[in-house]
Amino acid sequence: MKRHESFNTRVAKGNVDLVFIGDSITQGWNDTMGGSFPGVKVANRGISGDTTRGVLIRLKEDVLSLSPSGVVILIGTNDLEEKATPEVIAANLKLIIAALKKHNARMPIILCNTFPSSANKRRPADQIRKINQLYFTVVKGDPQITVLDTWLLFADAKGDAKKLE
């Protein structure tokens, strides 16, 4: 709640170029995105533990109110822990994208694949693979959306998250 409330400070500063929306992985990139986008006004709207349903609830206030020129989405793994099916998760993503497109029909959207996790966190690889397949189906052929295969970058041979070294 505290993090969400801090977003109001950023809204008061006006429009941004690029909004990142997602869960703890996004939040972990910090508010300046590690300085990876010099000269670009960014807003990090990642909230630890968030789900696609949570993004839908806060999309207007936390993203659309900033009138971004582009949006990066990384969400879905926490939905599994809350027992949502991959089909429900993908349906929520479809609603998120529809709202973004309604707000700005030409705004580029970058969709990151759901990151790998682990079965012991109730987020098994086969379910995450299914989410990513369904995400791709939702956006297939849409020139406004670029899909980044972030899952492949962070998955080990079994499809779980790679161990940090």
Side-chain angles (χ1 to χ4, degrees):
M1 241 358 217
K2 185 177 178 183
R3 177 156 173 79
H4 185 273
E5 290 169 3
S6 75
F7 294 163
N8 292 334
T9 304
R10 180 62 192 92
V11 170
K13 293 180 182 178
N15 297 352
V16 300
D17 300 318
L18 190 58
V19 174
F20 290 76
I21 184 124
D23 53 30
S24 62
I25 297 165
T26 305
Q27 180 178 339
W29 292 336
N30 74 44
D31 290 335
T32 63
M33 305 309 287
S36 296
F37 302 94
V40 177
K41 292 187 283 184
V42 298
N44 185 333
R45 294 299 187 252
I47 296 179
S48 182
D50 208 0
T51 62
T52 54
R53 183 174 170 268
V55 168
L56 276 169
I57 290 168
R58 64 190 183 90
L59 190 64
K60 183 176 180 181
E61 183 179 354
D62 290 353
V63 177
L64 302 180
S65 67
L66 297 171
S67 295
S69 300
V71 174
V72 178
I73 305 168
L74 174 56
I75 194 75
T77 191
N78 294 320
D79 295 66
L80 287 175
E81 198 155 335
E82 292 188 359
K83 297 184 175 37
T85 65
E87 291 77 13
V88 167
I89 298 165
N92 286 343
L93 174 75
K94 189 174 185 176
L95 293 171
I96 292 165
I97 289 173
L100 291 171
K101 289 170 98 56
K102 182 178 179 185
H103 182 75
N104 182 342
R106 293 200 284 248
M107 176 178 62
I109 300 167
I110 297 172
L111 174 62
C112 300
N113 280 45
T114 302
F115 273 37
S117 186
S118 68
N120 68 359
K121 290 186 177 184
R122 295 185 303 236
R123 297 179 266 188
D126 65 321
Q127 293 292 292
I128 294 175
R129 280 189 193 101
K130 179 74 173 175
I131 292 168
N132 290 335
Q133 288 171 335
L134 292 169
Y135 277 8
F136 185 75
T137 301
V138 166
V139 303
K140 185 178 180 180
D142 189 329
Q144 189 175 343
I145 301 172
T146 300
V147 178
L148 293 180
D149 192 353
T150 46
W151 184 86
L152 185 62
L153 293 171
F154 297 99
D156 65 16
K158 290 193 259 177
D160 288 336
K162 290 179 182 175
K163 302 282 187 234
L164 296 176
E165 296 178 16

